Amino acid sequence: MNFRESETKFNRYINNRESTLLTIYLPTIYGPWQPEECFFQQAIAHSSNNGRKVPDIRKWEWTHDCLYIDDAVKMIMEMAESGQQGQYILASGEQDKWLQCARELLGENTALLRNEVEAPVIRDSIQVRTVSQNEQISKALRRQKEQFTRIEDSRV
């Protein structure tokens, strides 16, 4: 059985029973320790090395929303500790949040960015949960940049 078939059967099983599970889907998560493959981390790396080159947006990159890591973790902890059940996707509640972060990193070069992918349709079984408080983009990205710099400075 291939992965897609297994995933489909598992999802059907979860959706067809009264679940005690808490399933949380995430948009792009940014901040310190973001993987090197992610757009924001690449933009930081490019700006420190080559000026402000615009990295490629990978097909798997979620560009419809983003959350700062601490805000996402706080919301996940609150939901888990309260005993919530069901399927949720976390959202910032801010229009074009991902693009705002890209602008903060790239400045005018964001005119080159195009999100070719339409916003996904969220299944009825998944509820949108908006994070109550979002860290300021400039502060959050500054922390990510500082972590990147510490890592770069520690390499020999």
Side-chain angles (χ1 to χ4, degrees):
M1 182 179 308
N2 69 31
F3 176 75
R4 290 283 180 213
E5 289 175 37
S6 298
E7 181 182 32
T8 301
K9 285 183 179 182
F10 179 74
N11 284 336
R12 197 174 310 129
Y13 171 76
I14 294 298
N15 291 331
N16 291 332
R17 64 185 294 270
E18 191 67 35
S19 177
T20 59
L21 295 176
L22 173 61
T23 305
I24 299 174
Y25 299 96
L26 301 171
T28 294
I29 301 296
Y30 71 101
W33 300 105
Q34 185 183 46
E36 292 178 4
E37 302 82 33
C38 295
F39 181 86
F40 297 158
Q41 190 71 4
Q42 288 182 29
I44 291 169
H46 285 304
S47 68
S48 69
N49 296 329
N50 309 324
R52 290 189 172 252
K53 181 182 174 203
V54 177
D56 293 330
I57 300 174
R58 305 271 166 77
K59 288 182 180 181
W60 52 262
E61 187 100 30
W62 181 274
T63 58
H64 304 285
D65 199 6
C66 62
L67 291 172
Y68 180 61
I69 183 69
D70 290 352
D71 299 333
V73 169
K74 182 180 177 188
M75 179 60 74
I76 292 168
M77 292 293 294
E78 288 173 6
M79 293 172 74
E81 289 173 354
S82 72
Q84 280 190 313
Q85 299 171 0
Q87 296 183 40
Y88 297 87
I89 184 165
L90 298 187
S92 69
E94 296 181 25
Q95 185 75 21
D96 296 324
K97 176 87 181 267
W98 190 92
L99 192 56
Q100 290 175 39
C101 288
R103 278 191 193 113
E104 181 79 22
L105 290 169
L106 301 171
E108 296 303 313
N109 288 337
T110 55
L112 303 172
L113 293 177
R114 287 188 309 271
N115 189 354
E116 302 292 332
V117 180
E118 288 186 34
V121 175
I122 298 173
R123 294 184 303 214
D124 292 337
S125 62
I126 300 173
Q127 300 173 55
V128 177
R129 181 73 185 265
T130 303
V131 172
S132 58
Q133 196 170 15
N134 289 298
E135 180 65 79
Q136 281 184 320
I137 291 172
S138 58
K139 272 187 179 178
L141 288 173
R142 185 180 70 239
R143 290 183 188 131
Q144 184 168 343
K145 290 175 188 176
E146 288 169 354
Q147 179 66 22
F148 174 81
T149 302
R150 281 193 295 274
I151 291 170
E152 288 298 301
D153 290 348
S154 69
R155 293 184 179 169
V156 179

